[in-house]
Amino acid sequence: MKKSIAVLGLGRFGKSLADHLYKMGADVLAVDSNQDLIQDFSSKCTAAVCADLENEEEVTALGLKNMDIVVIAMSHNLAASVMSITVAKDQGVPVVVAKASSERMKSILRKVGADQIIDPEEEGGARRGRA
């Protein structure tokens, strides 16, 4: 079964993840507040939407309830991350994954409902240390 995945935030990590998931055959909704970025990325996903992820109405309008997984890929905007997680969970998204940039942010995102927290920099360093 094809998964529907929303990637919110198209920084380096979000773009890479969305592109990879799309190439693997997932339906990918890519969302960012930068219209130029959305325009450039639209051919690398199923749908690309420009939205202010700190704005509850705009996040709600994304229709996240239709997603199997929502990935919050913004680790430098706590307000947008919290808003996106709470709206996704309120809409019944079964799995919400969030990127965090600090231990404190990880704690906050867990408290507002993230099912899984990732720290790509920390995890990447751990993998290199095992090589």
Side-chain angles (χ1 to χ4, degrees), residues 8-27:
L8 310 183
L10 295 178
R12 201 170 75 201
F13 173 75
K15 285 191 294 189
S16 176
L17 179 64
D19 185 45
H20 182 73
L21 291 168
Y22 184 66
K23 287 177 180 174
M24 289 179 56
D27 282 327

Side-chain angles (χ1 to χ4, degrees), residues 10-129:
L10 295 178
R12 201 170 75 201
F13 173 75
K15 285 191 294 189
S16 176
L17 179 64
D19 185 45
H20 182 73
L21 291 168
Y22 184 66
K23 287 177 180 174
M24 289 179 56
D27 282 327
V28 176
L29 168 64
V31 183
D32 198 273
S33 61
N34 182 323
Q35 182 63 47
D36 293 333
L37 187 60
I38 288 297
Q39 229 170 358
D40 292 344
F41 199 76
S42 63
S43 64
K44 298 177 182 177
C45 58
T46 309
V49 176
C50 185
D52 176 359
L53 296 170
E54 290 184 35
N55 182 301
E56 184 176 5
E57 290 82 23
E58 290 189 36
V59 178
T60 299
L62 294 172
L64 299 178
K65 63 182 174 260
N66 300 315
M67 298 292 132
D68 298 306
I69 301 167
V70 171
V71 179
I72 313 302
M74 309 159 287
S75 63
H76 297 292
N77 188 336
L78 181 60
S81 294
V82 168
M83 180 61 69
S84 298
I85 291 167
T86 56
V87 169
K89 293 314 277 184
D90 286 349
Q91 290 187 356
V93 175
V95 178
V96 176
V97 179
K99 181 182 175 198
S101 59
S102 69
E103 289 302 315
R104 184 70 180 138
M105 188 173 185
K106 288 178 189 179
S107 174
I108 292 167
L109 298 181
R110 275 191 199 95
K111 287 178 182 175
V112 297
D115 298 299
Q116 183 179 352
I117 308 292
I118 56 174
D119 182 341
E121 289 81 11
E122 182 179 292
E123 292 171 20
R127 285 192 193 110
R128 285 189 195 110

